Amino acid sequence: MPSKTVGAEVVDLNSLAQQRRDALPKATTYNLFDVEFTLPPIKALPFELQERVGDLDNTVAILKDLLGADKVKEMYAAGFTFGDLELIAQEWQRRSGVEPGESPASAVS
């Protein structure tokens, strides 16, 4: 409900933000070379992490943040390649409702 302050209208976005969060897809569990891992939808990530998602150079660091160092070591041991990381990133974006090239941190992309 809008409220007035000195010369400006204040719009409370709390309920709209909650509706959007509630409408996000569920976390997805992936399996690649017998390594199973679960990633949340990109738009559900904290903003600080979302800023880094669009850059493939950050993929390992992001996976460490989300999955933990032990899971990433398991991925190394399974022989994951850069191409595999690209596949994970592309599928994660697709299942998160983020279009290729769209910045997940941008609300107006």
Side-chain angles (χ1 to χ4, degrees):
M1 175 77 58
S3 64
K4 296 274 186 182
T5 57
V6 180
E9 181 180 11
V10 176
V11 179
D12 185 349
L13 298 174
N14 289 309
S15 64
L16 291 173
Q18 189 59 52
Q19 288 172 13
R20 283 187 173 201
R21 289 178 181 201
D22 292 345
L24 289 171
K26 300 295 180 215
T28 301
T29 299
Y30 302 88
N31 184 305
L32 182 60
F33 304 127
D34 295 325
V35 177
E36 195 170 281
F37 52 97
T38 301
L39 295 172
I42 292 170
K43 291 182 180 182
L45 296 175
F47 185 63
E48 178 183 349
L49 206 51
Q50 282 186 17
E51 288 184 300
R52 299 179 8 221
V53 167
D55 185 357
L56 277 175
D57 292 337
N58 291 327
T59 302
V60 174
I62 291 165
L63 290 175
K64 282 182 181 176
D65 286 347
L66 292 173
L67 305 173
D70 289 341
K71 183 57 75 173
V72 172
K73 286 178 186 174
E74 189 180 344
M75 292 171 163
Y76 290 151
F80 281 31
T81 65
F82 186 74
D84 298 329
L85 294 179
E86 282 184 320
L87 174 63
I88 291 166
Q90 290 166 351
E91 189 63 17
W92 186 27
Q93 286 179 334
R94 186 181 75 75
R95 292 184 171 271
S96 292
V98 176
E99 296 295 323
E102 176 186 356
S103 170
S106 172
V108 293
S109 289

